[in-house]
Amino acid sequence: MASSNLPRRIIKETQRLLSEPAPGISASPAEENMRYFNVMILGPAQSPYEGGVFKLELFLPEEYPMAPPKVRFLTKIYHPNIDKLGRICLDILKDKWSPALQIRTVLLSIQALLSAPNPDDPLSEDVAKHWKANESEAVETAKEWTRLYATGE
Amino acid sequence: MMEDSCDDEDFYDGGGDDDSDPDSVVISYDGLMDHDSDDFDDLNSSNLIYYHRSQNYAILNEDDIRQHQEESITQISTVLSISRVAASILLRQYNWSVSKVNDEWFADEEKVRKTVGLLENDTPLPADQELTCGICFENYPRDRMRAVACGHPFCVVCWKGYIGTSINDGPGCLMLHCPDPSCGAAVGHDMVNELASKDDKEKYNRYFLRSFIEDNRKTKWCPAPGCDYAVNFTVGGGNYDVTCHCSFSFCWNCVEEAHRPVDCGTVSKWIMKNSAESENMNWILANSKPCPKCKRPIEKNQGCMHITCTPPCKFEFCWLCLGAWSEHGERTGGFYACNRYEVAKQEGVYDEAEKRREMAKNSLERYTHYYERWATNQSSRQRAIENLHQMQTVHLEKLSDKQRQPESQLKFIIEAWQQIVECRRVLKWTYAYGFYLNEHEHAKKQFFEYLQGEAESGLERLHQCAEKEFQGYLNSEGPSLEFNEFRTKLAGLTSVTKNYFENLVRALENGLSDVDSHAACGRAGSSHNVGGSSGKGRGGKAKGSTSRSSSSKNMDDSGHWSCEYCTYANVRSSTVCEMCQRHR
Ligand SMILES: [Zn+2]
Ligand SMILES: [Zn+2]
Ligand SMILES: [Zn+2]
Ligand SMILES: [Zn+2]
Ligand SMILES: [Zn+2]
Ligand SMILES: [Zn+2]
Ligand SMILES: [Zn+2]
């Protein structure tokens, strides 16, 4: 494990993530690169993503924590703030980032985003349009996708 | 002679001479109001640049900007009894409007404090000997930790990183907050001064200065490339033209190059029109087709459809169908009524295409007419600016030597060139105006074209005199006897041209509304603003009205008569104005 020149902060954060994981979230660093995390988020209860297991990747750039981590969904998901490539529209990942935030807070925010999609600040125009025009139908599609892509293999 | 020239001064800038205020003249140069010089100089310099009736802006250099900025900060800091750091944060939030800060603050101080993150009381760092940094998670002794008013502790290293990152992200650093995401406490200039690197501090200060200009509704940077001056503008009066100390003139409103008397909307339409590449395509569509034999583009420049390609090809073909002309005989229904055209016409196919081509061609020819003149005046103005510069730096000195005239007596040449530069600009924009002038408003169009034509021909005479005749005196062996005549002529032409352009500018600014009263006068007596009657002599300040008392120089003490149209002072014996050839 090449952790020799890893900042203390990243080591501490990693230790805490492993020893006291947040409910519904797991994040573990890759063997070969301690800045790269394999993340899993469980679809929150009462959301269209309930029952799904969503894989994400999280990377801590050189400037971290002055710059935010880079996070992306690997599992296909039907959500107005997440695009086809899995990129996430979340303020704290962009201009609202603060170095006092952590990996844990970021992942909790993403989990919350699954519970509360915001079609008014869309990343995926089509999905957002669908969401606004016919929410129950859009929710059905999201459930369908969850079943198709986020359960089992 | 012409002792009533001070009327002009009054008329133009509302009183008195202005050499104490360099901003009151567009291109300021020393001795503008030199009262020791002869009368002629005085007449022309006092109202040379006509469009600057009142100064509603100030040009600021960097020191001026800092001074204004410091003054605003002092004002807020004093009135609100807060630190200068806090005052700058507030001003920055409210776009540097002192009155807005005052209003908001006294309406709801608590809300304002919350908005910008100014806490009322400082929370000190926790009392522990050792504190944990919220960013790097390391423990440090208390003196290695810093916090803003909220007391959230971060180590000096992390603060430096935080501030440095933010400064390098752009002007958002001026609104920096405590790194704690739940805390909105503002990070001010003082923290930056303590913790940022030298380079970053410089950047921050630059953003701070720029913010004062860019976020302030009353100020803008001069758009000229490389110019660091800013302009502070006081709205009112409807004239948006601003001239920077760098000599660039621009429109305050749309930040395009100065375009009075044409409005911003017309200018932006025109600029878009010019950049529309499709016009070129239209030209091809309207005017030329490839020769069916050699494929070179052939232009149709006559009415008939029989086209002969240029040598060596010389292929004869039909413009409409591109078939060989030799086949357009009996079999095809005759030479001048290409039957295929007729057939197509019946079917409505070629007819439509041809009609569209014709329309495109007409609109293009029209556009080309205006564009060509617009562009030519632009380049002519550019050359005139160079000439003016050369005059000021080289030629005037040489001429002064040759003609044994003090340079102070040669200002009329500079003034002539300044007038040329300005007139080229106005004339150029009137072509954009003309292009958009409704074709169906015949009277207006005629009136406009008349005024434009007068102005243009006046300008051509002036330009020629300043360019060509001047050369003779510059290159002469010794002092020329006729030099005084040259002076009289050039100064006269300057003044004449100025008048023409005044008429033109005023008419366009009135939307050519004088056209009705004007139409009755006919061409010869068409100067609608001749204050011809002696009743409007000196002191008749007809400010804002269309008549100009200053034109009314009839006969003065020295026996000259002043031309009603152009104000030129003619000798008593002449019956025709030497400048504009109008009868007395
Ligand atoms: Zn730290
Ligand atoms: Zn704080
Ligand atoms: Zn400038
Ligand atoms: Zn404008
Ligand atoms: Zn040919
Ligand atoms: Zn034909
Ligand atoms: Zn005249």
Side-chain angles (χ1 to χ4, degrees):
Chain A
M1 248 192 252
S3 62
S4 51
N5 51 8
L6 212 59
R8 268 276 293 273
R9 153 146 180 175
I10 296 182
I11 295 167
K12 279 193 178 174
E13 270 201 77
T14 309
Q15 284 168 353
R16 257 195 81 205
L17 279 169
L18 296 171
S19 62
E20 336 161 14
I25 295 172
S26 88
S28 48
E31 287 282 315
E32 65 282 5
N33 184 353
M34 293 290 287
R35 288 178 173 269
Y36 184 90
F37 288 76
N38 292 303
V39 178
M40 288 213 270
I41 297 181
L42 300 183
Q46 272 100 51
S47 82
Y49 312 100
E50 187 172 2
V53 180
F54 295 89
K55 282 192 194 165
L56 295 87
E57 58 180 4
L58 182 148
F59 179 71
L60 302 176
E62 194 54 46
E63 304 78 30
Y64 183 82
M66 291 307 160
K70 298 186 188 306
V71 200
R72 181 171 87 92
F73 272 84
L74 296 172
T75 307
K76 255 180 95 131
I77 181 167
Y78 197 75
H79 189 291
N81 309 107
I82 301 164
D83 73 3
K84 269 190 245 162
L85 299 172
R87 293 176 302 191
I88 306 159
C89 178
L90 189 63
D91 55 0
I92 60 161
L93 290 177
K94 289 178 278 185
D95 53 320
K96 288 290 185 319
W97 170 254
S98 154
L101 291 166
Q102 303 178 24
I103 299 171
R104 172 188 300 271
T105 35
V106 166
L107 296 179
L108 285 168
S109 299
I110 293 172
Q111 193 183 42
L113 190 65
L114 296 185
S115 294
N118 176 14
D120 290 322
D121 182 21
L123 188 61
S124 189
E125 285 289 344
D126 295 349
V127 180
K129 237 186 246 166
H130 193 190
W131 220 275
K132 282 172 123 170
N134 189 344
E135 188 173 334
S136 60
E137 194 187 289
V139 165
E140 277 315 306
T141 310
K143 281 183 182 166
E144 174 79 3
W145 281 38
T146 303
R147 204 169 47 72
L148 279 173
Y149 306 112
T151 51
E153 259 319 287
Chain B
M1 70 189 217
M2 306 216 175
E3 50 168 89
D4 60 344
S5 60
C6 34
D7 276 26
D8 294 87
E9 249 176 75
D10 271 4
F11 185 82
Y12 282 103
D13 53 39
D17 71 44
D18 267 300
D19 30 353
S20 57
D21 177 7
D23 287 335
S24 66
V25 183
V26 170
I27 303 162
S28 61
Y29 46 96
D30 292 330
L32 185 71
M33 302 295 181
D34 185 1
H35 287 281
D36 296 333
S37 62
D38 72 28
D39 288 330
F40 224 128
D41 267 283
D42 222 333
L43 165 71
N44 290 296
S45 51
S46 62
N47 56 12
L48 173 70
I49 293 151
Y50 56 84
Y51 57 91
H52 234 226
R53 277 159 234 203
S54 59
Q55 181 77 28
N56 49 355
Y57 63 86
I59 309 292
L60 312 175
N61 65 20
E62 198 172 316
D63 288 344
D64 299 331
I65 298 168
R66 283 197 201 288
Q67 199 189 327
H68 281 272
Q69 196 170 25
E70 291 304 313
E71 277 165 14
S72 301
I73 294 168
T74 306
Q75 228 175 321
I76 288 299
S77 147
T78 312
V79 175
L80 272 50
S81 306
I82 53 175
S83 69
R84 294 184 68 83
V85 172
S88 351
I89 290 169
L90 280 175
L91 279 161
R92 171 65 196 73
Q93 172 73 26
Y94 295 104
N95 298 329
W96 297 96
S97 163
V98 170
S99 59
K100 180 92 170 136
V101 170
N102 275 321
D103 291 354
E104 295 287 328
W105 184 268
F106 290 113
D108 193 343
E109 179 182 328
E110 201 181 328
K111 190 179 135 209
V112 172
R113 280 185 178 279
K114 207 160 172 261
T115 311
V116 299
L118 279 184
L119 310 188
E120 199 152 2
N121 300 304
D122 268 21
T123 309
L125 283 172
D128 315 52
Q129 279 304 305
E130 205 169 69
L131 296 169
T132 306
C133 169
I135 293 176
C136 64
F137 299 176
E138 303 281 353
N139 292 333
Y140 286 105
R142 206 164 172 273
D143 66 339
R144 295 288 298 149
M145 305 295 274
R146 295 286 182 282
V148 283
C150 58
H152 291 128
F154 301 97
C155 76
V156 168
V157 178
C158 288
W159 265 115
K160 284 184 173 172
Y162 181 62
I163 291 171
T165 304
S166 157
I167 290 174
N168 286 291
D169 265 4
C173 63
L174 299 177
M175 307 296 263
L176 199 59
H177 294 288
C178 166
D180 188 304
S182 62
C183 173
V187 177
H189 223 136
D190 47 346
M191 281 294 263
V192 173
N193 281 339
E194 189 201 336
L195 296 168
S197 70
K198 189 167 165 286
D199 279 4
D200 286 352
K201 254 183 269 187
E202 234 162 68
K203 273 188 208 163
Y204 185 89
N205 288 334
R206 188 123 295 274
Y207 285 133
F208 192 66
L209 183 89
R210 273 175 49 184
S211 152
F212 186 73
I213 299 301
E214 289 163 27
D215 299 329
N216 196 329
R217 280 191 20 254
K218 291 179 188 157
T219 53
K220 276 176 191 168
W221 294 110
C222 167
C227 178
D228 292 328
Y229 286 112
V231 180
N232 186 308
F233 191 86
T234 315
V235 180
N239 177 11
Y240 286 118
D241 278 7
V242 159
T243 299
C244 180
H245 284 340
C246 74
S247 89
F248 184 71
S249 295
F250 65 98
C251 168
W252 169 263
N253 193 38
C254 69
V255 205
E256 287 295 342
E257 170 198 22
H259 54 71
R260 193 177 171 222
V262 179
D263 65 272
C264 301
T266 303
V267 167
S268 102
K269 260 195 295 186
W270 177 253
I271 288 172
M272 261 158 60
K273 172 103 182 150
N274 290 348
S275 65
E277 196 56 45
S278 62
E279 290 296 343
N280 292 327
M281 306 320 288
N282 263 344
W283 190 82
I284 305 290
L285 172 74
N287 264 327
S288 78
K289 289 179 177 181
C291 163
K293 195 171 172 201
C294 71
K295 308 294 178 215
R296 279 183 304 160
I298 299 302
E299 229 171 284
K300 177 177 180 290
N301 46 19
Q302 60 207 41
C304 96
M305 300 299 159
H306 180 180
I307 306 294
T308 305
C309 186
T310 47
C313 169
K314 289 187 182 166
F315 181 64
E316 293 178 50
F317 63 97
C318 166
W319 178 258
L320 295 177
C321 65
L322 298 179
W325 194 255
S326 54
E327 288 174 12
H328 280 62
E330 297 297 312
R331 277 186 293 146
T332 56
F335 279 27
Y336 293 101
C338 165
N339 71 329
R340 282 184 253 180
Y341 174 70
E342 289 299 325
V343 167
K345 209 171 188 174
Q346 277 155 23
E347 290 169 0
V349 181
Y350 280 102
D351 182 44
E352 257 313 294
E354 183 69 10
K355 208 165 95 191
R356 250 183 291 128
R357 257 188 235 116
E358 276 304 312
M359 274 164 60
K361 181 170 175 269
N362 285 340
S363 80
L364 203 55
E365 264 175 9
R366 194 171 165 271
Y367 169 68
T368 310
H369 170 90
Y370 289 97
Y371 180 76
E372 198 176 359
R373 282 154 184 80
W374 181 84
T376 311
N377 273 292
Q378 160 73 7
S379 53
S380 172
R381 175 172 189 266
Q382 225 42 54
R383 266 202 306 282
I385 288 173
E386 285 156 27
N387 287 335
L388 170 61
H389 180 72
Q390 207 178 27
M391 204 58 71
Q392 285 164 322
T393 51
V394 189
H395 286 169
L396 219 54
E397 206 184 326
K398 187 177 165 196
L399 185 73
S400 161
D401 253 24
K402 280 270 166 71
Q403 302 294 339
R404 311 254 161 82
Q405 299 263 356
E407 279 195 46
S408 64
Q409 298 289 302
L410 300 174
K411 276 182 301 188
F412 71 96
I413 297 172
I414 299 299
E415 285 155 8
W417 280 103
Q418 286 170 333
Q419 194 68 54
I420 291 168
V421 168
E422 177 56 16
C423 289
R424 287 287 172 207
R425 187 189 67 71
V426 171
L427 187 58
K428 163 183 143 176
W429 285 112
T430 63
Y431 278 105
Y433 182 96
F435 181 74
Y436 291 107
L437 191 58
N438 192 334
E439 292 240 53
H440 302 293
E441 293 195 71
H442 291 294
K444 276 193 179 184
K445 198 164 148 52
Q446 267 184 350
F447 181 39
F448 164 68
E449 281 172 355
Y450 167 69
L451 291 175
Q452 191 189 37
E454 294 286 276
E456 183 157 17
S457 68
L459 176 57
E460 295 308 336
R461 286 201 301 273
L462 170 63
H463 207 152
Q464 178 169 322
C465 181
E467 216 164 25
K468 305 224 167 74
E469 293 184 36
F470 168 80
Q471 286 299 328
Y473 298 99
L474 183 66
N475 299 326
S476 72
E477 289 302 317
S480 326
L481 290 171
E482 313 81 37
F483 188 74
N484 275 336
E485 279 165 42
F486 171 68
R487 176 207 306 279
T488 308
K489 182 174 178 190
L490 189 63
L493 281 170
T494 305
S495 138
V496 171
T497 307
K498 181 173 78 67
N499 273 344
Y500 283 136
F501 275 83
E502 273 180 345
N503 290 346
L504 180 62
V505 165
R506 208 167 7 234
L508 297 199
E509 284 186 338
N510 294 338
L512 297 171
S513 56
D514 290 348
V515 66
D516 299 327
S517 58
H518 186 83
C521 307
R523 201 181 156 90
S526 58
S527 50
H528 68 296
N529 58 358
V530 170
S533 73
S534 51
K536 284 186 188 172
R538 63 181 61 200
K541 291 190 196 176
K543 220 175 247 177
S545 88
T546 49
S547 73
R548 256 201 71 205
S549 60
S550 55
S551 314
S552 64
K553 298 181 187 74
N554 287 328
M555 191 73 81
D556 70 6
D557 300 340
S558 58
H560 286 83
W561 62 273
S562 188
C563 169
E564 281 210 332
Y565 192 79
C566 69
T567 74
Y568 182 70
N570 293 284
V571 290
R572 189 193 289 265
S573 56
S574 64
T575 54
V576 173
C577 171
E578 198 186 325
M579 279 304 144
C580 66
Q581 273 81 46
R582 282 203 171 72
H583 284 276
R584 188 173 173 180

